[in-house]
């Protein structure tokens, strides 16, 4: 089975949109401002972005609010709106029930990605966006293959296009930590 280079797939889509002079709308799930920094800088050249901050996995609530405020501050630099819902750590706890002791890159993470991506897909569809995606793939600790597989499944389920990506490629992760 061939390994998919999600960055090349994204590059092809961007080239096609540029040829057709398109600037589609994108709902970008963001886990935090640092991870979204490179993603927003890169994608804002080609898409009309709105950020969705949905991270019920963050605790305590004070940390969640701190990250939300930083996300809003950063997005304001690009004149990008940030959507967010009330903090509900129980959404995360329910999603990973029975997997609490599993480590990074385990099925617990898969379920957490799915929770956040599904929320993004539903909101993107409801609000009429052309695409949805996440900044999660920028982290070397996240499994981009799983993120893109989940995106593929949600794309089919909700009939909204998922923007395939692996933002850690092309030095994306290094740029995000600068």
């Amino acid at each position: 089975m061939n390994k998919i280079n999600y960055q090349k797939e994204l590059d092809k889509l961007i080239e096609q949109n540029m040829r057709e002079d398109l600037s589609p709308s994108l709902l970008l799930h963001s886990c935090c401002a640092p991870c979204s920094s490179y993603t927003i800088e890169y994608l804002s050249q080609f898409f009309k972005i709105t950020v969705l901050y949905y991270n019920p996995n963050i605790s305590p609530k004070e940390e969640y609010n701190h990250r939300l405020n930083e996300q809003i501050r950063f997005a304001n630099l690009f004149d990008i709106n940030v959507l967010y819902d009330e903090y509900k750590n129980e959404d995360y706890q329910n999603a990973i029930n029975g997997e609490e002791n599993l480590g990074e890159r385990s099925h617990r993470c898969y379920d957490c990605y799915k929770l956040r991506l599904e929320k993004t897909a539903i909101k993107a569809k409801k609000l009429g966006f052309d695409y949805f995606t996440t900044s999660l793939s920028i982290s070397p600790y996240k499994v981009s293959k799983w993120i893109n597989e989940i995106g593929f499944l949600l794309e089919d389920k909700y009939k909204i296009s998922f923007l395939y990506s692996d933002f850690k490629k092309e030095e994306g992760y290094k740029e995000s930590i600068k």
Side-chain angles (χ1 to χ4, degrees):
M1 185 167 143
N2 291 338
K3 186 175 178 182
I4 298 171
N5 184 324
Y6 295 106
Q7 182 60 43
K8 284 188 179 180
E9 294 301 312
L10 176 57
D11 291 343
K12 285 182 204 173
L13 176 67
I14 288 171
E15 287 174 19
Q16 177 185 339
N17 286 345
M18 289 176 68
R19 280 193 305 275
E20 297 175 14
D21 198 28
L22 298 175
S23 182
S25 60
L26 171 67
L27 185 59
L28 171 67
H29 165 264
S30 174
C31 55
C32 63
C35 285
S36 75
S37 61
Y38 168 78
T39 310
I40 288 173
E41 287 181 43
Y42 174 63
L43 292 177
S44 65
Q45 302 170 72
F46 312 108
F47 295 88
K48 295 177 212 125
I49 299 174
T50 298
V51 169
L52 174 63
Y53 182 82
Y54 176 67
N55 299 292
N57 55 307
I58 304 298
S59 67
K61 185 176 182 179
E62 293 76 23
E63 178 64 20
Y64 175 89
N65 287 332
H66 172 71
R67 292 183 189 204
L68 171 59
N69 290 331
E70 284 302 302
Q71 181 65 74
I72 292 168
R73 185 190 63 76
F74 182 77
N76 282 340
L77 298 173
F78 291 85
D79 199 28
I80 291 175
N81 289 330
V82 177
L83 306 176
Y84 57 93
D85 289 338
E86 178 183 331
Y87 177 67
K88 291 184 185 173
N89 183 254
E90 60 270 16
D91 290 352
Y92 171 68
Q93 296 303 326
N94 291 335
I96 64 150
N97 188 30
E99 302 171 339
E100 296 86 353
N101 295 324
L102 297 178
E104 190 73 29
R105 301 177 77 110
S106 70
H107 198 270
R108 174 183 56 89
C109 293
Y110 183 94
D111 287 341
C112 185
Y113 303 160
K114 185 175 183 290
L115 171 69
R116 295 186 278 168
L117 280 169
E118 188 152 22
K119 176 77 160 194
T120 308
I122 291 167
K123 193 163 286 275
K125 178 70 174 183
K126 179 181 177 184
L127 297 175
F129 284 87
D130 297 314
Y131 290 90
F132 76 100
T133 198
T134 180
S135 64
L136 287 170
S137 72
I138 198 151
S139 171
Y141 302 106
K142 306 297 182 233
V143 182
S144 297
K145 180 178 184 247
W146 289 353
I147 292 166
N148 286 287
E149 286 173 359
I150 293 166
F152 174 79
L153 295 171
L154 296 172
E155 178 178 58
D156 183 57
K157 182 176 180 178
Y158 294 104
K159 307 301 183 219
I160 182 162
S161 297
F162 179 71
L163 189 66
Y164 296 89
S165 61
D166 189 353
F167 294 118
K168 70 178 113 334
K169 301 282 185 174
E170 309 289 328
E171 306 293 320
Y173 175 70
K174 289 180 183 176
E175 288 297 317
S176 75
I177 59 174
K178 281 185 181 177

